[in-house]
Amino acid sequence: MRIIFWGTPDYSISSLDILIKSNHDVIAVVSQPDKKRSRGNKLIASPIKSFAEQESIKIYTPEKIRNNIPFINELKSLSCDLFIVIAYGKILPKEILEIPKFGCWNAHASLLPRWRGAAPIQWSLMKGDEYTGVGIMKMSEGLDTGDLLLEEKIKIDNNDNLNTLTEKLSILSAKLLLNAVSFLENNINKKINSQLAKQNTLGREITYARMIEKSDFKVNWGDEAIKISRKIKALYPRANTNFRGKNLKILKIKVLSSDEIKNAKYHLMSNYSKPGIIIAVIENEGIIISTKTDPIILLEAKIEGKNISTKKQLIQQLKPSVGEYFLD
């Protein structure tokens, strides 16, 4: 199969790599244009573009794809069988979706129709989903609304964060994608039946994974402890708070259970009435902070201008006092 691959972030690399190593022909890659990603305003290529360059594959990085006639004509001239789209970053318009002989196919990192949209991994963690997965879907003009060809789900572990879950789903996407391309190749002259995948989605809630905004990264200490924990995992390593006027990235916390709170080593401040207050500093353990519900213990963080610190190191670095506030 002659394939044009569309992708941008690191997440897409596993899928491109497995296709390159297969017996299929990746004839070109389309990625987002180079962007200024450093303090020196230096233009940096996307991870997929850098990877494709190493593999000597033809690369396109159009500033726009809608109504871009020269680019659309170039795509048509390549006589492509399939477009494979993995986290490209833009919705493909109808005039592009209609180009390949056997359609455009996307690997989406959720159990559709749950978490349609731009940030499915973050929202599955943020909302405490027990399972997530990957679906191989034929692309249409809607937002993740096409028919599913293949799907596989995985359990979200308690210690998963955005990094670990993204890696798992990236590997799963690559595996399913290769299976899907082989299936499509073997069924070119048959009507593809996605009824099984459709049945798997019956009864699922339709939810939308909007893009993560700057305001989402702020930890709201007035939230329930479990929601704070989920946010820190979902937005790792960028969830943050303010301490003594400086930005503090919260990398790891633990919600303290009732039994742990009763433990003799946790001598908690007893007369606090608001969330976000330091209610204990436990040597070699961490900093305990009040929330709307259970207290949490801050285990790992990074204050601006400093290295990541954990437990005892963190206490030595911040020198916190019982009764001080963390600000959201």
Side-chain angles (χ1 to χ4, degrees):
M1 299 280 269
R2 289 171 57 83
I3 296 169
I4 294 179
F5 187 93
W6 301 62
T8 298
D10 285 313
Y11 180 85
S12 313
I13 290 176
S14 293
S15 294
L16 178 55
D17 186 43
I18 204 168
L19 288 173
I20 290 170
K21 291 175 179 175
S22 71
N23 60 351
H24 303 290
D25 186 11
V26 180
I27 59 175
V29 164
V30 184
S31 190
Q32 293 289 320
D34 297 357
K35 291 185 178 179
K36 295 178 181 179
R37 305 173 192 268
S38 62
R39 291 182 180 179
N41 286 328
K42 183 180 178 181
L43 285 173
I44 304 296
S46 73
I48 275 292
K49 179 182 175 182
S50 297
F51 185 82
E53 286 176 336
Q54 294 173 14
E55 299 293 330
S56 301
I57 299 172
K58 187 175 181 62
I59 303 163
Y60 297 94
T61 56
E63 290 290 341
K64 68 170 189 174
I65 56 174
R66 192 177 296 274
N67 299 320
N68 185 339
I69 304 304
F71 174 62
I72 290 171
N73 287 339
E74 177 74 8
L75 292 176
K76 289 178 178 177
S77 73
L78 295 175
S79 300
C80 183
D81 295 316
L82 294 174
F83 285 175
I84 298 297
V85 183
I86 313 290
Y88 170 62
K90 289 183 180 179
I91 296 175
L92 272 57
K94 183 179 179 181
E95 59 265 29
I96 288 179
L97 293 174
E98 293 177 343
I99 291 174
K101 296 176 185 176
F102 307 114
C104 298
W105 297 84
N106 167 243
H108 185 76
S110 79
L111 299 175
L112 290 166
R114 186 163 177 79
W115 303 130
R116 292 174 176 169
I121 305 175
Q122 290 93 328
W123 286 104
S124 65
L125 286 165
M126 198 107 69
K127 294 302 181 180
D129 291 356
E130 186 177 1
Y131 292 93
T132 186
V134 171
I136 306 300
M137 171 189 65
K138 186 168 186 179
M139 296 177 68
S140 62
E141 289 186 86
L143 182 64
D144 302 324
T145 56
D147 289 342
L148 282 172
L149 178 64
L150 298 173
E151 182 185 73
E152 187 171 327
K153 75 175 183 177
I154 60 171
K155 189 173 183 355
I156 299 176
D157 294 333
N158 288 334
N159 60 349
D160 270 329
N161 61 27
L162 180 59
N163 280 11
T164 61
L165 189 56
T166 295
E167 183 177 0
K168 290 176 184 178
L169 292 173
S170 175
I171 294 168
L172 179 58
S173 291
K175 183 191 81 170
L176 283 185
L177 189 61
L178 188 61
N179 291 342
V181 172
S182 297
F183 178 87
L184 292 168
E185 183 176 42
N186 293 331
N187 290 272
I188 285 174
N189 297 318
K190 301 175 184 178
K191 185 177 180 180
I192 296 171
N193 187 350
S194 60
Q195 191 61 37
L196 180 59
K198 283 183 181 179
Q199 288 173 353
N200 289 340
T201 67
L202 291 177
R204 289 182 187 166
E205 179 187 12
I206 299 174
T207 56
Y208 293 91
R210 66 165 175 80
M211 291 184 67
I212 300 298
E213 300 171 355
K214 186 177 180 179
S215 59
D216 292 318
F217 294 105
K218 283 293 179 184
V219 173
N220 176 10
W221 296 107
D223 239 338
E224 297 171 10
I226 188 63
K227 290 183 178 179
I228 294 173
S229 178
R230 289 171 181 169
K231 169 175 278 198
I232 289 164
K233 292 175 181 178
L235 303 181
Y236 183 90
R238 297 181 63 191
N240 63 82
T241 188
N242 188 281
F243 184 67
R244 295 178 185 163
K246 290 190 175 182
N247 181 274
L248 182 70
K249 290 184 178 179
I250 308 294
L251 304 180
K252 187 176 182 181
I253 68 167
K254 178 185 176 183
V255 179
L256 294 179
S257 66
S258 298
D259 289 341
E260 287 173 311
I261 293 169
K262 293 174 184 176
N263 190 312
K265 71 179 178 181
Y266 294 134
H267 299 291
L268 306 184
M269 175 182 174
S270 59
N271 59 342
Y272 65 92
S273 58
K274 293 182 180 180
I277 298 175
I278 297 174
I279 56 177
V281 179
I282 311 299
E283 188 177 359
N284 299 323
E285 290 282 336
I287 302 164
I288 300 181
I289 307 167
S290 62
T291 74
K292 181 181 179 180
T293 53
D294 303 309
I296 64 96
I297 183 163
L298 177 57
L299 300 174
E300 186 174 319
K302 183 183 184 305
I303 199 161
E304 57 183 281
K306 302 288 185 179
N307 294 327
I308 293 172
S309 298
T310 61
K311 298 183 179 181
K312 184 178 180 179
Q313 294 173 322
L314 184 61
I315 293 170
Q316 291 174 340
Q317 192 177 87
L318 296 183
K319 296 180 173 60
S321 299
V322 172
E324 280 192 280
Y325 279 90
F326 284 91
L327 303 178
D328 51 28

